Amino acid sequence: MKLKGRNKVSPEFSMSSMTDIVFLLLVFFMLTSNAPNALDLLLPKAKGKSTNTQNVSVTINKDLKYFVNNEQISKEYIEIELKKALEGQEKPTIILRAEENVAIKEAVNVMDIANRNSYKVILAVRPK
């Protein structure tokens, strides 16, 4: 007479629950991590309408570091980089993002470069 045990353990392992947990952790870390191309700026407040036309972005942070399209660049090479980036554009436009406490002469320097090369400049601000 053969007696079979009722509590037989199955040797199979289901990976579906483990996969769900790993996927949720991946999504969580992707959403909470800082984006490497984002610059944390406190823009000045103003009333106005924003536009979505953007060819090149020039950013000046409070430490007077200059960025052209989120790539740090020396102040002396801004004009050269802008000419390269806006070459062949029909209506070359620069979005100027100067942090709130940056001296106006730094922003005027970029505006002067744009004026010499007939580029349109749009100053980025926070809504009031």
Side-chain angles (χ1 to χ4, degrees):
M1 176 178 206
K2 286 188 175 181
L3 295 174
K4 291 186 179 182
R6 294 184 184 192
N7 296 338
K8 200 169 197 182
V9 177
S10 174
E12 298 174 12
F13 179 71
S14 176
M15 288 290 292
S16 63
S17 59
M18 181 72 84
T19 307
D20 291 343
I21 292 171
V22 171
F23 178 72
L24 289 174
L25 286 173
L26 176 69
V27 170
F28 172 77
F29 286 117
M30 285 176 57
L31 292 175
T32 58
S33 69
N34 289 337
N37 292 334
L39 297 173
D40 188 25
L41 295 178
L42 182 60
L43 296 173
K45 291 182 180 179
K47 290 183 182 178
K49 191 169 91 173
S50 63
T51 107
N52 290 335
T53 60
Q54 176 179 347
N55 293 340
V56 174
S57 171
V58 176
T59 306
I60 308 169
N61 69 6
K62 64 183 174 193
D63 301 324
L64 298 182
K65 293 181 182 174
Y66 288 79
F67 298 86
V68 174
N69 288 339
N70 295 327
E71 185 176 318
Q72 188 173 352
I73 190 163
S74 175
K75 183 178 178 179
E76 295 81 32
Y77 297 110
I78 292 175
E79 187 166 5
I80 296 168
E81 286 296 317
L82 288 175
K83 283 182 179 180
K84 276 196 266 183
L86 293 170
E87 186 177 33
Q89 297 288 333
E90 186 177 321
K91 293 180 182 178
T93 305
I94 299 172
I95 303 292
L96 179 57
R97 302 176 71 224
E99 200 160 3
E100 193 172 34
N101 297 327
V102 172
I104 193 69
K105 70 178 183 176
E106 303 299 328
V108 169
N109 181 36
V110 176
M111 289 181 198
D112 184 43
I113 291 170
N115 187 35
R116 282 196 304 258
N117 294 292
S118 301
Y119 300 149
K120 181 180 176 184
V121 178
I122 298 173
L123 182 62
V125 294
R126 285 184 298 161
K128 264 190 175 179

